[in-house]
Amino acid sequence: MRILVTGGAGFVGAHLVDRLLRQGHHVLCLDNFYTGSPENLRTWWDHPDLECITHDITEPFVADVDQIYHLACPASPVHYQADPIKTIKTGFMGTLNMLDLAQKLGIKVLISSTSEVYGDPEVHPQPEAYWGHVNPIGIRACYDESKRLGETIAFEYYRQYGTAIRVARIFNTYGPLMAINDGRVVSNFIVQALKGEALTIYGKGTQTRSFCYVDDLVSGLILLMAGDQPGPINLGNPGEFTIQELAELVLELTASTAGIDYQPLPKDDPRQRCPDITQAQEVLGWQPKILLKEGLTRTIPDFQRRLG
Ligand code: NAD
Ligand code: UDP
């Protein structure tokens, strides 16, 4: 198949492109390289089945393809808060453009939504039926609300035009190829530990997250696309850790003695986050296989290599 992957040069996108190429597909990678890099696709640079196109998805795009994985959007708070209006345009107009293309071509389109649609959740763990608890005017809203709007547009295309949407609610994912300056917690901690710097915990470190290894996520995305359900479906690892526990694990695995530097907690930072993956298990037959310790052990050498 000819498969369009928006955001294909980003962290998750590059792993997905890699898997699709290995499966023998022809991939069009669409990216404006805001947080992504061609470096992430280096292994495939000379391969005839990969086409890389520099394009901003807030502008319409037309190509003859059989499927679309729509991943383009900065995912780290540091990057999506740097230009909030642009983030909103990407979440709204970018998603609209991709749904429009899928509708015209009559093909499946997978929308990468997020656990952020649940905001600072009052239901724990979070099932898909939970509507969420988002501050619509807070500093995370440019991302959270545009992702929520992305889901709304997707479901209106589904109801109004019968577009074959697949909506994935992705929970915190980590692994090799996360940008050194990504700013999310796993990459920050690994980079700091490898540089012998203290790990920056925001707040007291009692907030929780559930970390999914990227290979598991990619398997979930491909199963969701292959199935016949629009979703939304939670894709994440239900293993829940405090940020303090994560810091201690990274210190242990890197044999770092640099310790921890406690800094102020950013506003609206969700206190807890854990996916209910019953639907993914029942509908897709999917569940993550890689435990956090194993995933970090696979990730750290990649950062070591890139940091030289
Ligand atoms: P990332 O920042 O590494 O990758 C995003 C990619 O999109 C980059 O290559 C970037 O250059 C590109 N991009 C951004 N804006 C664009 C635009 N306007 N036009 C074209 N390209 C653009 O992020 P990621 O972690 O790979 O996330 C991929 C997708 O998955 C995002 O939609 C994100 O919201 C979603 N997601 C990720 C996580 C996670 O933990 N990684 C969690 C929830 C949801
Ligand atoms: N965090 C932290 N130190 C860092 C980066 C993040 O303590 O250097 C915290 C952050 O405040 C949040 C959690 O780790 O509570 C996860 O942050 P991340 O940006 O990775 O993802 P998100 O908040 O979007 O889930």
Side-chain angles (χ1 to χ4, degrees):
M1 278 195 278
R2 280 169 64 80
I3 302 182
L4 177 64
V5 180
T6 76
F11 159 55
V12 175
H15 283 274
L16 176 65
V17 168
D18 182 77
R19 184 84 65 91
L20 294 173
L21 287 167
R22 282 176 201 280
Q23 290 180 345
H25 299 292
H26 184 92
V27 176
L28 276 74
C29 163
L30 207 62
D31 208 295
N32 69 352
F33 302 106
Y34 171 48
T35 51
S37 163
E39 217 24 66
N40 289 339
L41 298 168
R42 176 178 269 281
T43 340
W44 296 99
W45 275 359
D46 297 325
H47 200 282
D49 278 334
L50 176 66
E51 285 176 66
C52 255
I53 303 158
T54 305
H55 181 83
D56 194 305
I57 51 138
T58 58
E59 300 295 331
F61 179 78
V62 179
D64 192 12
V65 290
D66 304 305
Q67 278 184 349
I68 303 172
Y69 285 88
H70 173 41
L71 269 63
C73 183
S76 166
V78 181
H79 296 296
Y80 71 64
Q81 288 166 3
D83 188 347
I85 301 296
K86 177 71 190 187
T87 302
I88 293 167
K89 285 183 181 167
T90 298
F92 166 40
M93 291 149 70
T95 304
L96 190 75
N97 285 331
M98 287 308 130
L99 283 160
D100 198 51
L101 179 60
Q103 188 253 328
K104 284 185 176 128
L105 295 173
I107 58 169
K108 288 184 185 177
V109 55
L110 184 144
I111 304 294
S112 57
S113 187
T114 168
S115 55
E116 289 288 320
V117 299
Y118 302 123
D120 190 8
E122 291 162 315
V123 171
H124 195 72
Q126 294 82 53
E128 290 84 350
Y130 177 48
W131 290 354
H133 182 226
V134 174
N135 173 2
I137 56 167
I139 57 169
R140 296 174 81 96
C142 60
Y143 181 73
D144 301 4
E145 294 289 19
S146 63
K147 285 286 184 179
R148 286 168 66 98
L149 179 58
E151 289 199 9
T152 306
I153 309 169
F155 274 85
E156 292 307 352
Y157 266 79
Y158 174 64
R159 282 189 284 260
Q160 198 170 331
Y161 302 123
T163 309
I165 60 160
R166 302 286 179 269
V167 176
R169 288 190 180 152
I170 303 170
F171 283 64
N172 295 65
T173 301
Y174 69 99
L177 300 185
M178 286 185 97
I180 302 288
N181 69 346
D182 180 272
R184 280 174 282 183
V185 69
V186 174
S187 48
N188 269 10
F189 283 180
I190 294 177
V191 170
Q192 289 159 346
L194 292 176
K195 286 181 169 174
E197 296 167 3
L199 274 51
T200 52
I201 286 187
Y202 304 157
K204 294 183 181 138
T206 50
Q207 69 271 41
T208 68
R209 292 294 185 275
S210 302
F211 300 100
C212 186
Y213 189 66
V214 66
D215 286 358
D216 280 332
L217 174 69
V218 167
S219 302
L221 293 174
I222 289 174
L223 282 169
L224 176 59
M225 180 67 107
D228 56 7
Q229 296 295 316
I233 286 208
N234 287 340
L235 293 178
N237 191 321
E240 186 180 2
F241 295 83
T242 66
I243 297 303
Q244 177 75 34
E245 286 169 335
L246 175 71
E248 286 167 8
L249 192 52
V250 171
L251 288 173
E252 177 198 320
L253 294 175
T254 54
S256 167
T257 53
I260 291 170
D261 173 20
Y262 292 90
Q263 294 190 4
L265 187 67
K267 220 172 161 306
D268 292 344
D269 201 277
R271 284 160 297 167
Q272 53 183 3
R273 178 69 57 70
C274 180
D276 178 333
I277 59 162
T278 311
Q279 278 213 45
Q281 287 167 321
E282 288 176 359
V283 177
L284 307 178
W286 176 86
Q287 66 178 33
K289 297 191 176 84
I290 313 288
L291 298 176
L292 181 59
K293 192 167 185 176
E294 166 66 15
L296 289 174
T297 306
R298 293 185 189 193
T299 305
I300 290 166
D302 171 67
F303 277 85
Q304 245 158 353
R305 180 183 57 77
R306 285 184 288 147
L307 287 167

